[in-house]
Amino acid sequence: MTSVAKLEEYRERIRTELDGVVDFWLRHSNDTSHGGFFNCIGRDGSIYDELKYVWLQGRQVWMYCRLYRTMDRFHRPEVLEAAKAGAAFLKKYARSSSSSSSGSSQWKCAFCLTRDGKAVKIQRTIFSECFYIMAMDELSRVTGDKDMQAESELMMEQLIHWVRVDSSGLGRPQLPGDIPTNSLAVPMMMLCLVQQLTEGRNQEVVQKYRELGAWCVQQILQHVQRGGTAILENVSLDGSELLGCLGRLQNPGHVLEAGWFLLQYAAKQGDEALQCTAINTFMELPYQSGWDKEHGGLFYFMDVDGHCPTQLEWSMKLWWPHCEALVAFLMAYSQTKKPELLQRFSEVYEYTFSHFPDGENGEWFGYLTQEGKVALDLKGGPFKGFFHVPRCLHMCELMLDNLLANKDQMSNKQ
Amino acid sequence: MTSVAKLEEYRERIRTELDGVVDFWLRHSNDTSHGGFFNCIGRDGSIYDELKYVWLQGRQVWMYCRLYRTMDRFHRPEVLEAAKAGAAFLKKYARSSSSSSSGSSQWKCAFCLTRDGKAVKIQRTIFSECFYIMAMDELSRVTGDKDMQAESELMMEQLIHWVRVDSSGLGRPQLPGDIPTNSLAVPMMMLCLVQQLTEGRNQEVVQKYRELGAWCVQQILQHVQRGGTAILENVSLDGSELLGCLGRLQNPGHVLEAGWFLLQYAAKQGDEALQCTAINTFMELPYQSGWDKEHGGLFYFMDVDGHCPTQLEWSMKLWWPHCEALVAFLMAYSQTKKPELLQRFSEVYEYTFSHFPDGENGEWFGYLTQEGKVALDLKGGPFKGFFHVPRCLHMCELMLDNLLANKDQMSNKQ
């Protein structure tokens, strides 16, 4: 099969999957009585729990808006209406003020809400707030709502304060043995937000976040350890290795996701050295160390020294690392046209599309055993929503469109 | 094989296992520089992390003392010295005062400490404190230290206050959607402590905890739902079923453990109705619903309506539910002599002893896949210490001693 035919085959399957996934969530997830989205959705689309998870509410609003804004076939009223209903629910209920006395600010969001919006749990981290910002910024791009954009930027100021100045507002007690840690998730998430808030905005906004973007990249690069041979999930604030399991932990999917965040950033900045690091270090290393040579698929957690991780699910194959790997390798191939990167994409594609999609009821399974058997058959749960699968399919489809358009141009020139 | 020969075979294997397990921990776990115990111990006995988990420190002190006090062959100086060193570490470091402003009392214990005793994490639950009390009370029985016994009882007063009067001292923010819940773990743990603190003590102490014991039993029985056909892990404070995954959750190993707690209590009270409930409901039900008919072994979590649990490890086979099942069925058989209960014990025994012990390096694996393959090869970790395996082996050996002694008597009478 020619390379063009192969890319066309990928695009066809990816487009079909994306249509199916969007349809699944539009049909099953909207809560028309209380607003917002059901998150806990069983194999066949039935709701098995009514709790609403703020990460997933925010991500779903963001994803609907992104699809509505960037793909003609999703520029449909029901997509925008679902996004607006989700955002209204978030605005009304997510920022539930906690009764904690630990200086929680007006911006702290809950992690989990009841169906009618009462706070069930508040995490002492920044992530609910991050997805709230992503949702509001993306919706403001669709609606042109300047107040909503301004609110996102105000909340972003609070996040920056928590991350870079003083985290005490998050409510975590300071304990003498709890060493401050640079966890990969934090600078990754902040870089993602910088890209979200600045994309296509005027120079004033771009300038406002320029230094933060560079800081995020530097913080992410601190996770490259052991002479460039390993990427560790947690390092000390001065970028050295931490003791014990925490210090040795590796999360291949997370590194691959960081890889394509860096690649996007490098492309925007025209930074070839960073492009090189993103591909050779943040993509090739986790693939080499994280791919299961026996059963295929990416491990969830690993220990850099080969000890057994203490996370019970370490050897399971989760959907999202595979989504991140698909985006990462296709983006790397798009930027470099190196055939070995398309080969990597193909390997991940084969495993992913032969294991995760549910041919019977639509959408994807999220959790497989090491051997590739479905371990949990839910389609949505506390950490799986309308996000990684459609984001991956959406990005891959657009990248394949571009690749194929350029191939056509090349063919026409010949 | 005659039934006596079978019991003798069980006792022989169990005694050998117990010797091996005690030896493993005495050799690998003592931290002779900083005191206390290493908890994170790899397959071959090597230390893969130096963090010290307070639950496990307390349990290990308790277990050493129990072995020293009740079995001649463990009445050895090095067992007592290890226990004392663990208790000294706990007394010095576990009650690290938190910097939290949320009314933490002098009795709040950390969950995790650095090797040299600095607090890393404090849970907003009662369990660190529970295992602290168990450790101190059991050690006081060995040493005759009245101050230590008195301290245990004082800490117990604090626990009772948190559980029955006002939990705000635990530091959990009150959230409008977070409904107060009766979690099976809490009354189970409190009943365990009542049995610990009163065993062999004078009438004054027994009387002091009498009403609490009855309350714990009543709280445990509230988890029997759906007309006696299911035991649910979480119910409302008035004993009705909760909505969603939380309300439908089942933990078969936990129920079996509650079963033998109830059986001990019933025997002491001469309560035949409770004995019946303990066996027919708390042992037979979780065995029927929780035993994997395809691969053998007890599931970790289940959903009473057959939905897929959201816990990624739901289908794994963990060591401790099997330990609890062995104790439960052998105790039930000892009290009733019903052959079907010995049959249950045998079934669990066959699975347990053919899957969990590590013939090569000693001790037991803790975490198997649904199919019975070792998923994590650690011997000790954040939740697996010197507790469930030796407690089970110790109790089973003593029960088999009694059964065989009585069989001998019966034989002699014939």
Side-chain angles (χ1 to χ4, degrees):
Chain A
M1 200 184 283
T2 67
S3 143
V4 170
K6 199 80 197 155
L7 295 182
E8 277 169 349
E9 185 196 301
Y10 293 148
R11 181 172 62 175
E12 183 56 31
R13 176 75 194 268
I14 284 171
R15 187 167 11 205
T16 309
E17 284 291 331
L18 181 56
D19 288 346
V21 168
V22 173
D23 179 61
F24 184 94
W25 289 85
L26 283 174
R27 267 190 299 137
H28 300 300
S29 178
N30 295 349
D31 180 359
T32 49
S33 322
H34 292 268
F37 309 113
F38 293 116
N39 293 132
C40 294
I41 303 184
R43 176 171 188 160
D44 62 357
S46 57
I47 307 305
Y48 65 84
D49 194 309
E50 294 179 347
L51 290 176
K52 290 173 178 167
Y53 292 87
V54 170
W55 292 22
L56 305 186
Q57 303 284 319
R59 286 164 160 183
Q60 192 156 351
V61 170
W62 176 85
M63 192 73 241
Y64 279 144
C65 292
R66 181 61 64 102
L67 290 166
Y68 181 86
R69 185 164 72 84
T70 60
M71 280 184 160
D72 285 346
R73 70 185 192 278
F74 298 114
H75 196 82
R76 304 193 316 245
E78 72 265 32
V79 175
L80 181 58
E81 286 316 309
K84 283 183 174 170
F89 185 84
L90 274 178
K91 273 183 81 83
K92 193 161 178 189
Y93 299 116
R95 283 162 50 190
S96 84
S97 58
S98 150
S99 67
S100 151
S101 53
S102 53
S104 65
S105 87
Q106 58 164 327
W107 299 106
K108 193 80 197 84
C109 288
F111 172 71
C112 180
L113 303 167
T114 58
R115 182 176 179 185
D116 59 355
K118 295 194 198 82
V120 175
K121 189 177 170 190
I122 299 177
Q123 281 187 324
R124 297 176 290 184
T125 62
I126 60 166
F127 302 110
S128 290
E129 294 75 10
C130 289
F131 296 114
Y132 187 102
I133 292 173
M134 277 178 71
M136 297 306 164
D137 182 79
E138 189 67 21
L139 182 55
S140 79
R141 290 165 183 274
V142 171
T143 60
D145 184 336
K146 293 286 169 203
D147 290 345
M148 189 171 273
Q149 184 193 346
E151 190 193 322
S152 306
E153 292 188 23
L154 271 177
M155 195 185 244
M156 184 70 179
E157 293 310 307
Q158 174 66 72
L159 272 194
I160 295 168
H161 180 81
W162 284 332
V163 169
R164 298 186 68 179
V165 182
D166 176 9
S167 67
S168 63
L170 294 172
R172 296 175 72 93
Q174 301 293 308
L175 297 173
D178 185 19
I179 308 164
T181 297
N182 170 359
S183 295
L184 186 54
V186 173
M188 274 176 67
M189 198 68 238
M190 296 299 279
L191 182 58
C192 177
L193 287 173
V194 168
Q195 293 176 338
Q196 174 68 38
L197 293 169
T198 57
E199 188 211 327
R201 300 287 193 197
N202 62 39
Q203 270 307 308
E204 193 190 335
V205 176
V206 171
Q207 192 53 39
K208 181 173 166 187
Y209 295 112
R210 189 183 303 279
E211 186 273 338
L212 177 61
W215 178 84
C216 292
V217 170
Q218 176 264 331
Q219 291 283 303
I220 292 171
L221 293 176
Q222 282 196 339
H223 294 260
V224 181
Q225 294 287 325
R226 304 192 174 193
T229 63
I231 304 183
L232 305 179
E233 191 69 9
N234 304 292
V235 295
S236 76
L237 291 191
D238 63 356
S240 53
E241 205 173 317
L242 294 165
L243 284 177
C245 293
L246 186 76
R248 295 193 307 269
L249 186 67
Q250 297 187 292
N251 182 331
H254 223 189
V255 174
L256 285 155
E257 186 180 11
W260 69 256
F261 287 4
L262 291 177
L263 211 50
Q264 278 190 323
Y265 183 87
K268 205 157 272 179
Q269 307 284 320
D271 185 338
E272 280 183 35
L274 186 61
Q275 184 196 56
C276 219
T277 301
I279 295 172
N280 296 340
T281 306
F282 283 79
M283 296 181 192
E284 193 57 21
L285 281 187
Y287 185 84
Q288 287 300 340
S289 65
W291 190 261
D292 182 347
K293 272 83 180 170
E294 191 179 355
H295 302 284
L298 289 161
F299 288 112
Y300 191 19
F301 292 113
M302 310 204 74
D303 179 294
V304 68
D305 287 336
H307 296 283
C308 177
T310 54
Q311 290 82 0
L312 303 197
E313 66 276 26
W314 76 271
S315 63
M316 290 175 74
K317 310 292 166 61
L318 271 65
W319 84 107
W320 71 261
H322 297 82
C323 292
E324 303 309 334
L326 289 171
V327 172
F329 287 119
L330 194 57
M331 193 183 288
Y333 174 67
S334 297
Q335 287 193 14
T336 65
K337 303 294 185 304
K338 289 186 181 166
E340 63 268 29
L341 292 165
L342 186 59
Q343 179 54 33
R344 286 275 181 269
F345 173 81
S346 300
E347 288 161 24
V348 179
Y349 179 97
E350 291 306 327
Y351 182 87
T352 304
F353 283 85
S354 61
H355 284 81
F356 289 105
D358 176 9
E360 200 177 321
N361 299 278
E363 240 279 332
W364 289 21
F365 297 115
Y367 304 90
L368 314 179
T369 65
Q370 180 177 1
E371 292 77 14
K373 189 184 78 172
V374 175
L376 282 78
D377 68 5
L378 52 83
K379 299 294 169 53
F383 293 94
K384 182 174 188 288
F386 183 67
F387 185 62
H388 289 96
V389 176
R391 182 174 72 167
C392 162
L393 296 171
H394 165 262
M395 292 182 73
C396 287
E397 183 183 324
L398 293 180
M399 288 189 279
L400 287 164
D401 283 344
N402 271 326
L403 284 166
L404 286 163
N406 290 332
K407 295 250 178 193
D408 288 346
Q409 284 172 9
M410 285 190 292
S411 306
N412 292 340
K413 277 182 197 156
Q414 283 167 351
Chain B
M1 199 184 285
T2 66
S3 142
V4 170
K6 199 79 198 155
L7 295 182
E8 276 169 349
E9 185 196 301
Y10 293 147
R11 180 170 64 174
E12 183 57 30
R13 175 74 194 266
I14 283 170
R15 186 165 15 203
T16 309
E17 284 290 331
L18 182 56
D19 288 347
V21 167
V22 172
D23 180 61
F24 184 95
W25 288 86
L26 283 173
R27 268 191 298 136
H28 300 300
S29 178
N30 294 351
D31 180 359
T32 49
S33 322
H34 292 269
F37 310 113
F38 293 116
N39 294 130
C40 293
I41 303 184
R43 174 170 189 161
D44 62 357
S46 58
I47 308 303
Y48 64 85
D49 194 309
E50 296 179 345
L51 289 176
K52 290 173 177 167
Y53 292 88
V54 170
W55 292 21
L56 306 185
Q57 302 285 318
R59 286 166 161 182
Q60 191 157 351
V61 171
W62 177 86
M63 191 74 242
Y64 280 143
C65 293
R66 181 62 64 102
L67 289 166
Y68 181 87
R69 184 164 74 84
T70 59
M71 279 184 161
D72 285 347
R73 70 186 192 279
F74 297 114
H75 197 82
R76 306 193 315 245
E78 73 265 32
V79 175
L80 181 58
E81 287 315 307
K84 282 183 176 171
F89 185 85
L90 274 179
K91 274 184 80 84
K92 193 160 175 191
Y93 299 116
R95 282 163 48 190
S96 84
S97 59
S98 149
S99 68
S100 152
S101 54
S102 51
S104 63
S105 86
Q106 57 164 328
W107 299 106
K108 193 81 197 82
C109 288
F111 172 72
C112 180
L113 303 168
T114 58
R115 182 175 178 185
D116 59 355
K118 296 195 198 81
V120 176
K121 190 179 169 186
I122 300 176
Q123 281 187 325
R124 298 176 289 187
T125 63
I126 60 166
F127 303 110
S128 290
E129 294 75 12
C130 291
F131 296 115
Y132 187 102
I133 292 174
M134 276 178 72
M136 298 305 163
D137 182 80
E138 188 67 21
L139 182 55
S140 79
R141 292 165 181 273
V142 170
T143 60
D145 183 337
K146 293 284 172 208
D147 290 345
M148 190 172 271
Q149 184 193 346
E151 190 193 323
S152 306
E153 291 188 25
L154 271 178
M155 197 186 243
M156 184 70 179
E157 293 309 308
Q158 175 66 75
L159 272 193
I160 295 168
H161 181 80
W162 284 332
V163 170
R164 299 187 67 178
V165 182
D166 177 9
S167 68
S168 63
L170 295 172
R172 296 176 71 92
Q174 302 293 307
L175 297 173
D178 185 19
I179 308 163
T181 297
N182 171 357
S183 295
L184 185 56
V186 172
M188 274 176 68
M189 198 67 238
M190 296 299 281
L191 182 59
C192 178
L193 287 173
V194 167
Q195 293 176 338
Q196 174 68 37
L197 293 169
T198 57
E199 188 212 327
R201 299 287 193 200
N202 62 38
Q203 270 307 308
E204 193 189 333
V205 176
V206 172
Q207 191 53 41
K208 182 173 165 187
Y209 294 113
R210 189 182 302 280
E211 186 273 337
L212 177 61
W215 178 83
C216 291
V217 170
Q218 175 262 331
Q219 292 283 303
I220 291 171
L221 294 177
Q222 283 196 339
H223 293 261
V224 182
Q225 294 288 324
R226 303 191 175 195
T229 62
I231 304 183
L232 304 179
E233 191 69 8
N234 305 291
V235 294
S236 75
L237 291 191
D238 63 357
S240 53
E241 203 172 320
L242 294 166
L243 283 177
C245 293
L246 185 76
R248 295 193 307 268
L249 186 68
Q250 297 186 293
N251 181 332
H254 223 187
V255 174
L256 285 155
E257 186 180 10
W260 68 257
F261 287 5
L262 291 177
L263 210 51
Q264 278 190 324
Y265 183 88
K268 204 157 272 178
Q269 308 285 320
D271 185 338
E272 279 183 37
L274 185 60
Q275 183 195 56
C276 218
T277 301
I279 296 173
N280 296 341
T281 306
F282 282 79
M283 297 181 191
E284 192 57 21
L285 282 188
Y287 185 84
Q288 287 300 340
S289 65
W291 190 261
D292 182 347
K293 272 82 182 172
E294 192 180 354
H295 302 285
L298 289 161
F299 287 111
Y300 190 20
F301 292 113
M302 310 204 74
D303 179 295
V304 68
D305 287 336
H307 295 283
C308 177
T310 55
Q311 289 84 359
L312 303 197
E313 67 276 27
W314 76 269
S315 63
M316 289 176 74
K317 310 291 164 63
L318 270 64
W319 85 107
W320 70 261
H322 298 82
C323 293
E324 304 309 335
L326 289 171
V327 172
F329 286 120
L330 193 58
M331 192 182 286
Y333 174 68
S334 298
Q335 287 193 14
T336 63
K337 305 293 186 302
K338 289 189 181 164
E340 64 268 28
L341 292 166
L342 185 59
Q343 180 52 33
R344 286 275 181 266
F345 173 81
S346 300
E347 288 161 24
V348 180
Y349 179 96
E350 291 306 328
Y351 182 88
T352 303
F353 283 84
S354 61
H355 283 82
F356 289 105
D358 175 10
E360 199 177 321
N361 299 277
E363 241 277 334
W364 290 21
F365 298 116
Y367 305 91
L368 313 179
T369 65
Q370 179 177 2
E371 292 77 14
K373 188 185 79 172
V374 175
L376 282 77
D377 69 5
L378 51 84
K379 298 294 169 52
F383 293 95
K384 181 173 188 289
F386 182 66
F387 185 62
H388 289 97
V389 176
R391 181 174 73 170
C392 162
L393 296 170
H394 165 264
M395 292 184 72
C396 287
E397 183 183 324
L398 293 180
M399 287 189 280
L400 288 164
D401 282 346
N402 271 328
L403 284 166
L404 286 161
N406 290 332
K407 295 251 178 193
D408 288 347
Q409 284 174 7
M410 283 190 293
S411 304
N412 293 340
K413 279 185 198 155
Q414 282 165 357

